[in-house]
């Protein structure tokens, strides 16, 4: 078993059109792994100016605000190198892994996770690197099978984005004694190349619920979970024995937290927004309870996983059998000071969570792996002995 804290990164995006038109000031600064949030300038200069800036420390701080500052600027490639590489390595070792993006609406979550054609995000880069590694490591004694699923949680209901029949019916979430919560009837499609994943992802994205609000022209109205299941089969060629190692990589693009006064949401948009905020509030309560447990404050504290479909499905990724990373995206504008502060506090709590990840392999795979390691060790000892002789 490997105990590891949730890795937390913060990314600040450039000013958007709305913020430029408002002529709002930049209140975020980043230096190494520290993020400094300055209080917004106010007309009441006496009291406000005395407020000290708030300083947070994270595993990574990505300054994506200004491309002209080449020494400081963190593009999609840097974000992937810091977060994606480690997640992929864990998956190949047989651990479950997860990356989730959190932040207010319009703060750049979908761009960080999905990106665009010119600047692909974490998910496409991770899938591309996955198949490059599979083609390198695949042998007669070590084979790989890759499957994917893609779902959205919309108004607390789960929908399959890769349903071959194209039906938009909601699916039930159930709990397995060993494997934990799962979605009953979710399609799991086998893929053999990055191109397969790319076409499935673009099909899924077309089905995803998006709508325009005052804050974001293409606001995600649902949480999306893209899962990659990697099954490695280890075969002992002499005896014919084989064993499996299965790891699941969950890539989660959360819908943004939003304030109705800013988004101008009404009718259906308002209902969506309240469901989004409900699930994110539950996620916040789960993170707080787990952070208290990890720091020894509330060992017997109840964790409200079942209060929301989102937290129930992320149960293993938060405080369970998974190596997890979180990317919190923020706006640099003074106009969004309260939301940015809330996101940074959220991320600050998440970094205290300790997960207990185990390698998901059957006994045969474990024996084969240990025997191979033993053979390598003996070969090394032999070569050393030959050198001395």
């Amino acid at each position: 078993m490997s105990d590891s804290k949730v890795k937390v990164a913060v990314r600040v995006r450039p000013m958007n059109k709305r913020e430029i038109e408002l002529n709002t000031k930049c209140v975020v600064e980043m230096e190494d792994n520290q993020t400094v949030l300055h209080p917004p300038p106010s007309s009441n200069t006496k009291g406000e100016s005395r407020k000290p800036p708030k300083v947070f420390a994270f595993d990574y701080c990505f300054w994506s605000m200004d491309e002209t500052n080449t020494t400081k600027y963190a593009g999609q490639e840097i974000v992937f190198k810091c977060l994606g590489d480690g997640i992929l390595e864990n998956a190949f070792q047989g651990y479950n892994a997860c990356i989730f993006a959190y932040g207010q609406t319009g703060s750049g979550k979908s761009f960080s996770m999905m990106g665009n054609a010119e600047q692909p995000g974490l998910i496409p880069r991770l899938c591309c690197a996955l198949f490059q590694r599979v083609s390198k490591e695949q042998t007669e004694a070590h084979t790989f099978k890759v499957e994917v699923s893609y779902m959205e949680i919309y108004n607390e209901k789960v929908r399959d984005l890769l349903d071959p029949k194209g039906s938009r019916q909601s699916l039930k979430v159930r709990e397995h004694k060993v494997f934990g919560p799962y979605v009953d009837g979710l399609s799991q499609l086998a893929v053999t190349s990055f191109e397969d994943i790319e076409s499935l992802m673009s099909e899924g994205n077309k089905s995803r619920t998006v709508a325009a609000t005052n804050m974001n022209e293409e606001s995600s109205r649902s949480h999306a979970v893209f899962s990659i299941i990697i099954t490695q089969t280890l075969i002992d060629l002499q005896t014919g024995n084989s064993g499996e190692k299965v790891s699941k990589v969950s890539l989660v693009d959360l819908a943004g937290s939003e304030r109705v006064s800013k988004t101008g949401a009404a009718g259906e948009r308002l209902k969506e927004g309240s469901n989004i905020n409900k699930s994110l509030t539950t996620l916040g309560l789960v993170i707080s309870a787990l952070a208290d447990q990890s720091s020894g404050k509330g060992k017997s504290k109840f964790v409200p996983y079942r209060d929301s479909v989102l937290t129930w499905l992320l149960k293993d990724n938060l405080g369970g059998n998974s190596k997890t990373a979180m990317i919190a995206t923020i706006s640099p504008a003074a106009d969004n000071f309260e939301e940015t502060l809330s996101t940074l506090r959220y991320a600050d709590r998440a970094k205290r969570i300790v997960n207990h990840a185990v390698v998901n392999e059957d006994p045969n795979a474990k024996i084969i792996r240990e025997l191979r390691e033993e053979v390598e060790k003996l070969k090394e000892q032999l070569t050393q002995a030959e050198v001395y002789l």
Side-chain angles (χ1 to χ4, degrees):
M1 187 185 281
S2 164
D3 285 4
S4 61
K5 286 198 172 184
V6 169
K7 268 192 180 163
V8 179
V10 171
R11 188 179 195 189
V12 62
R13 62 155 170 78
M15 293 268 191
N16 63 20
K17 192 179 160 194
R18 176 181 165 274
E19 289 157 353
I20 292 164
E21 282 168 5
L22 283 169
N23 199 21
T24 179
K25 284 196 161 53
C26 171
V27 290
V28 177
E29 256 184 70
M30 281 182 176
E31 207 55 60
D32 298 327
N33 65 344
Q34 279 198 337
T35 298
V36 181
L37 183 64
H38 295 278
S42 167
S43 50
N44 175 12
T45 48
K46 284 182 186 174
E48 290 295 324
S49 58
R50 284 200 215 109
K51 274 191 179 178
K54 300 196 183 312
V55 183
F56 297 88
F58 298 105
D59 294 292
Y60 304 103
C61 291
F62 300 122
W63 178 263
S64 304
M65 157 107 182
D66 180 13
E67 258 183 279
T68 55
N69 187 345
T70 48
T71 51
K72 207 174 172 186
Y73 182 77
Q76 301 280 63
E77 179 66 28
I78 290 171
V79 174
F80 173 71
K81 274 205 163 67
C82 294
L83 293 177
D85 274 353
I87 290 289
L88 200 61
E89 182 55 45
N90 289 328
F92 274 88
Q93 284 174 15
Y95 292 106
N96 290 341
C98 171
I99 299 180
F100 69 98
Y102 174 81
Q104 78 171 113
T105 184
S107 60
K109 295 177 302 301
S110 294
F111 178 74
S112 292
M113 293 303 278
M114 298 300 301
N116 54 32
E118 296 78 46
Q119 299 177 60
L122 268 167
I123 296 178
R125 283 173 192 270
L126 195 135
C127 296
C128 187
L130 164 72
F131 281 106
Q132 283 172 357
R133 185 152 171 184
V134 164
S135 64
K136 260 189 220 164
E137 293 190 12
Q138 186 140 300
T139 61
E140 202 182 334
H142 190 180
T143 61
F144 292 85
K145 182 174 82 174
V146 181
E147 294 162 299
V148 296
S149 67
Y150 197 10
M151 64 179 161
E152 72 169 356
I153 302 164
Y154 174 70
N155 283 345
E156 287 296 289
K157 289 184 171 71
V158 178
R159 295 209 293 226
D160 187 352
L161 294 175
L162 298 180
D163 186 356
K165 296 186 194 109
S167 74
R168 292 177 71 80
Q169 64 183 50
S170 56
L171 304 173
K172 284 192 166 64
V173 180
R174 305 192 188 280
E175 187 146 17
H176 189 279
K177 280 182 188 175
V178 178
F179 304 116
Y182 69 98
V183 179
D184 195 12
L186 183 69
S187 6
Q188 209 165 286
L189 308 178
V191 286
T192 53
S193 67
F194 172 60
E195 288 69 33
D196 288 355
I197 288 192
E198 210 173 20
S199 68
L200 286 173
M201 215 183 284
S202 89
E203 281 306 306
N205 287 340
K206 282 177 200 163
S207 312
R208 196 174 169 194
T209 312
V210 294
T213 67
N214 293 352
M215 290 283 285
N216 187 359
E217 283 175 22
E218 279 194 32
S219 173
S220 304
R221 310 310 290 161
S222 64
H223 309 297
V225 184
F226 188 82
S227 299
I228 306 165
I229 300 96
I230 306 161
T231 307
Q232 302 179 56
T233 308
L234 297 160
I235 304 156
D236 188 328
L237 296 173
Q238 282 159 333
T239 62
N241 288 339
S242 68
E244 282 188 350
K245 196 155 63 168
V246 182
S247 49
K248 184 179 179 182
V249 182
S250 304
L251 304 157
V252 187
D253 179 16
L254 299 175
S257 56
E258 51 184 61
R259 293 193 173 195
V260 177
S261 58
K262 283 188 176 179
T263 58
E268 193 61 29
R269 296 293 86 81
L270 184 61
K271 185 190 168 192
E272 291 165 354
S274 65
N275 274 311
I276 290 164
N277 286 347
K278 179 199 164 191
S279 56
L280 293 174
T281 302
T282 308
L283 182 60
L285 294 170
V286 166
I287 286 172
S288 287
L290 290 169
D292 286 348
Q293 274 184 11
S294 299
S295 56
K297 281 183 196 167
K299 287 285 178 197
S300 56
K301 201 167 186 180
F302 172 69
V303 183
Y305 286 118
R306 279 188 180 234
D307 286 5
S308 155
V309 173
L310 173 71
T311 48
W312 194 14
L313 283 172
L314 289 183
K315 186 179 168 185
D316 253 357
N317 304 126
L318 293 164
N321 172 23
S322 173
K323 301 255 190 179
T324 300
M326 170 187 180
I327 179 162
T329 55
I330 56 173
S331 152
D335 180 54
N336 293 317
F337 174 81
E338 291 300 331
E339 289 90 337
T340 297
L341 179 58
S342 166
T343 301
L344 291 171
R345 281 179 173 155
Y346 214 97
D348 199 50
R349 286 201 303 268
K351 72 181 186 189
R352 302 209 308 271
I353 297 173
V354 176
N355 280 356
H356 313 286
V358 292
V359 174
N360 307 303
E361 59 185 347
D362 66 20
N364 277 354
K366 194 178 178 186
I367 291 164
I368 293 166
R369 178 174 56 79
E370 285 171 351
L371 285 170
R372 280 185 185 169
E373 283 168 6
E374 188 69 27
V375 167
E376 288 305 312
K377 221 182 273 178
L378 290 169
K379 275 183 184 171
E380 215 172 283
Q381 285 172 0
L382 265 173
T383 50
Q384 282 174 353
E386 280 165 9
V387 168
Y388 290 122
L389 289 169

